[in-house]
Amino acid sequence: MTQEHQFKSGFETRAIHAGYEPDAATGAVIPPIYATSTYKQDGVGGLRGGYEYSRSANPTRTALEGALASVEEGERGFAFASGLAAEDTIVRALTAPGQHAVIPDDAYGGTYRLFDKVEKVWGLDHSPAPVSDVDAVAAAIRPGRTRLVWVETPTNPLLNIGDIEALAAVAHDAGALLVVDNTFASPYLQQPLALGADVVVHSTTKYVGGHSDVVGGAVVVRDLELAERLTFHQNAMGAVAGPFDAFLTLRGLKTLHVRMDRHCDNAERVVEFLEADPRVAEVIYPGLPAHPGHQVAARQMKRFGGMVSFRVAGGEEQALAVCDRTQVFTLAESLGGIESLIEHPGRMTHASVAGTDLEVPSDLIRLSVGIENVEDLLADLDRALG
Ligand SMILES: *Cc1c(COP(=O)(O)O)cnc(C)c1O
């Protein structure tokens, strides 16, 4: 499919077909796992199909990268060994020592650690700002020095919403690039490039892969000069997705829209159940009209996603007990897979920010609502609430 054709066809068609034509030699409708490190040359420099060495490019990865570019409405996609490998490559490719980044004050913990312990040593310093407050993000920009405005929306675990269009305007006014970590929404629910972002990054470990069986990352851009730098750094730094991982991630991407609609259906039912339950003190979900980011989320997202956070009545002890008692919801970190997960951010994913401004309430529980039978999920929560 040509790029133009890709943009015109529906998301679901692109998720299934973009990036690959049935193999000319065999007719294989799904890209094979090209488990090869190198490629025979027809005479010195005579490459068949442009492949030379699998760090630089591999046909299974090429298929995934084409599909990622298409579903994010970008020009070029890049697949990495993990979300953090993708993030590190963005920073090295698009910034220089002495520059500065604004990052979410409730960034994914691994992202915060990367900026604070790795990129800072390299010479890129950072300031935190709340993504839901465009003025605060603007105020955190250091004129002439800020190169990246980096946001997540929705954020984790409080599901704060950033206005991508407004944040892009603020970043561009300052001569900076807007990077959006689109992991929580997935490309099905939100396309940041179409709203003015310059770079989209994903942990494809989550909704894109979708089956909790592979770790991966992705970057998508529209601008060809950014693409050229990312191409160089992807090869030069070498944190690429291997062909087996690329195969699994592409297999996941093909059903993203079907899974995501069910994640949203089930999450909406879970929210309705929790909202009506006196054992629950507060439900946090951008689909609720009372959520402070609801209007913005309704404008920029197709639906409100599969992540739900809530505070229990009864404090931390009760929150820990609920996490211990579920049987269908599995107690585990991570998110975005077919199976429902439950976790206690204060003691698990966000334990490292305890005692700082980023500390999360101790009675908070985070759910990654899966695609099991929803009545089973509601019964499990009902039982676990005691
Ligand atoms: C998991 C996650 C990452 C990191 O991705 P890995 O694949 O674990 O390296 C980055 N951002 C968000 C929002 C995540 O949830």
Side-chain angles (χ1 to χ4, degrees), residues 168-179:
V170 159
H172 296 161
D173 274 353
L177 300 169
L178 180 69
V179 181

Side-chain angles (χ1 to χ4, degrees), residues 82-85 87 108 111 152 156 181 183-184 203-206 215-216 335:
S82 69
L84 288 176
E87 295 184 17
Y108 171 75
T111 299
E152 297 170 23
N156 174 25
D181 181 334
T183 300
F184 267 48
S203 170
T204 55
T205 313
K206 316 295 167 51
V215 170
L335 61 116

Side-chain angles (χ1 to χ4, degrees), residues 10-369:
F11 179 95
E12 298 83 350
T13 308
R14 287 180 282 127
I16 292 169
H17 294 286
Y20 181 74
E21 292 287 345
D23 182 52
T26 64
V29 297
I30 294 295
I33 302 169
Y34 281 89
T36 187
S37 60
T38 191
Y39 305 81
K40 180 180 188 297
Q41 304 194 5
D42 297 325
V44 175
L47 306 182
R48 304 180 188 180
Y51 294 101
E52 153 174 60
Y53 183 63
S54 278
R55 170 164 34 72
S56 313
N58 171 283
T60 315
R61 197 175 93 218
T62 302
L64 171 61
E65 290 177 334
L68 288 165
S70 179
V71 294
E72 279 291 0
E73 301 193 5
E75 285 294 333
R76 292 290 311 281
F78 302 88
F80 293 91
S82 69
L84 288 176
E87 295 184 17
D88 186 33
T89 306
I90 291 170
V91 169
R92 306 296 169 123
L94 305 184
T95 75
Q99 293 183 327
H100 171 260
V102 178
I103 65 170
D105 69 357
D106 55 353
Y108 171 75
T111 299
Y112 176 75
R113 184 176 56 197
L114 178 73
F115 275 92
D116 201 53
K117 302 281 190 253
V118 180
E119 310 305 358
K120 203 152 85 181
V121 174
W122 185 59
L124 183 83
D125 63 354
H126 59 85
S127 309
V131 302
S132 56
D133 183 344
V134 179
D135 294 335
V137 170
I141 288 176
R142 310 256 170 93
R145 257 195 354 107
T146 300
R147 172 66 171 154
L148 301 179
V149 174
W150 187 293
V151 301
E152 297 170 23
T153 179
T155 65
N156 174 25
L158 295 173
L159 307 176
N160 291 313
I161 301 293
D163 182 333
I164 295 171
E165 240 171 338
L167 290 163
V170 159
H172 296 161
D173 274 353
L177 300 169
L178 180 69
V179 181
V180 176
D181 181 334
N182 203 26
T183 300
F184 267 48
S186 91
Y188 178 57
L189 298 183
Q190 176 170 279
Q191 281 119 18
L193 298 175
L195 296 165
D198 302 284
V199 181
V200 168
V201 59
H202 281 279
S203 170
T204 55
T205 313
K206 316 295 167 51
Y207 286 107
V208 171
H211 295 73
S212 305
D213 55 7
V214 62
V215 170
V219 178
V220 182
V221 295
R222 280 189 173 175
D223 182 86
L224 293 178
E225 196 207 314
L226 298 183
E228 212 169 292
R229 280 195 259 171
L230 287 161
T231 302
F232 176 84
H233 280 78
Q234 184 190 38
N235 182 49
M237 293 171 67
V240 296
F244 289 83
D245 290 355
F247 174 87
L248 280 174
T249 304
L250 182 59
R251 182 182 158 116
L253 179 62
K254 289 176 192 293
T255 57
L256 175 65
H257 47 286
V258 182
R259 287 184 286 106
M260 209 68 213
D261 269 329
R262 185 62 66 86
H263 282 295
C264 293
D265 290 345
N266 285 359
E268 287 166 13
R269 290 285 307 279
V270 164
V271 165
E272 194 187 349
F273 166 81
L274 294 173
E275 279 259 289
D277 197 305
R279 295 167 295 180
V280 173
E282 185 188 359
V283 183
I284 301 166
Y285 186 65
L288 290 169
H291 186 288
H294 177 69
Q295 299 290 340
V296 174
R299 203 164 62 229
Q300 70 190 15
M301 297 175 76
K302 188 181 172 81
R303 299 181 68 180
F304 301 101
M307 300 301 296
V308 177
S309 293
F310 66 102
R311 300 177 70 171
V312 292
E316 180 172 39
E317 204 179 322
Q318 166 69 351
L320 294 172
V322 171
C323 291
D324 278 343
R325 282 196 292 253
T326 55
Q327 289 169 7
V328 183
F329 282 85
T330 302
L331 180 62
E333 299 193 0
S334 198
L335 61 116
I338 47 180
E339 70 292 311
S340 292
L341 302 179
I342 187 167
E343 69 122 355
H344 184 267
R347 293 281 188 98
M348 294 171 63
T349 50
H350 291 66
S352 64
V353 294
T356 73
D357 290 349
L358 305 187
E359 187 172 80
V360 295
S362 63
D363 56 5
L364 187 77
I365 291 174
R366 186 188 81 178
L367 303 177
S368 174
V369 180

